[in-house]
Amino acid sequence: MPPDRQEKFLQNNQRFQNLPPDQQAQIRQRLQTWNRLTPSQQQDLRGRQQVWEQMTPEQRTYVRQTLLPRWQQLPPERRQAIMQRLHSLRDMSETDRQAKLDDPAFVEGMSGEDRETLKQLAHLHVGMASDSPGL
């Protein structure tokens, strides 16, 4: 909904009004950030949310407790190398994706840890098209 309607909604929403001021400010900040995104960026985030919702509780826990901390510790250039490879796997079938992941030329120059991270993200469909098959 457009920003002016968002604000009206928030002003008329009792649940929102009952939140502490700092939480209200945080929600408004997130809406402003969302509103500044391009339609393409918004669609990408919706796709990521869809992938997250399709994950099992165990997969979500694994991502939160294992993959995310590992990802956050990677230097930007290693993250970029993983993301580039993930994007190239985007529209492949599971069989083709696995074959590509097993191809030494595809993972050339990556550390063992980065290869493992790539495989785990690819099998969780992170960075994949939003219409990917279920997990």
Side-chain angles (χ1 to χ4, degrees):
M1 81 179 59
D4 58 333
R5 287 189 55 208
Q6 291 171 355
E7 187 56 37
K8 282 183 183 181
F9 174 81
L10 294 177
Q11 290 174 359
N12 293 321
N13 185 291
Q14 189 62 43
R15 201 166 143 206
F16 177 79
Q17 294 300 319
N18 289 336
L19 292 173
D22 60 322
Q23 285 185 322
Q24 290 182 22
Q26 185 179 39
I27 290 170
R28 283 191 168 97
Q29 177 61 37
R30 287 181 179 166
L31 278 172
Q32 288 175 358
T33 300
W34 174 261
N35 292 332
R36 285 192 299 266
L37 296 174
T38 66
S40 175
Q41 291 170 319
Q42 289 178 357
Q43 187 59 39
D44 286 346
L45 284 176
R46 284 185 189 107
R48 289 180 192 167
Q49 180 63 29
Q50 194 173 37
V51 168
W52 183 257
E53 289 170 0
Q54 292 173 352
M55 288 182 187
T56 65
E58 294 80 16
Q59 288 173 318
R60 290 181 196 169
T61 298
Y62 179 74
V63 169
R64 267 191 234 107
Q65 293 178 356
T66 305
L67 287 180
L68 183 59
R70 185 185 309 160
W71 181 258
Q72 290 171 332
Q73 292 176 356
L74 289 174
E77 62 276 359
R78 286 174 58 196
R79 284 189 212 171
Q80 184 177 5
I82 292 170
M83 287 305 295
Q84 286 173 338
R85 286 172 176 88
L86 275 174
H87 288 298
S88 71
L89 300 171
R90 177 171 281 188
D91 295 320
M92 293 183 178
S93 68
E94 191 67 38
T95 304
D96 291 343
R97 186 179 306 117
Q98 187 60 51
K100 192 77 164 172
L101 289 167
D102 291 338
D103 180 0
F106 182 70
V107 294
E108 185 176 350
M110 296 181 79
S111 71
E113 181 182 3
D114 290 356
R115 289 177 189 192
E116 186 60 29
T117 299
L118 174 64
K119 286 181 181 184
Q120 290 170 345
L121 291 172
H123 291 299
L124 289 173
H125 299 274
V126 174
M128 302 295 161
S130 60
D131 59 352
S132 295
L135 300 174

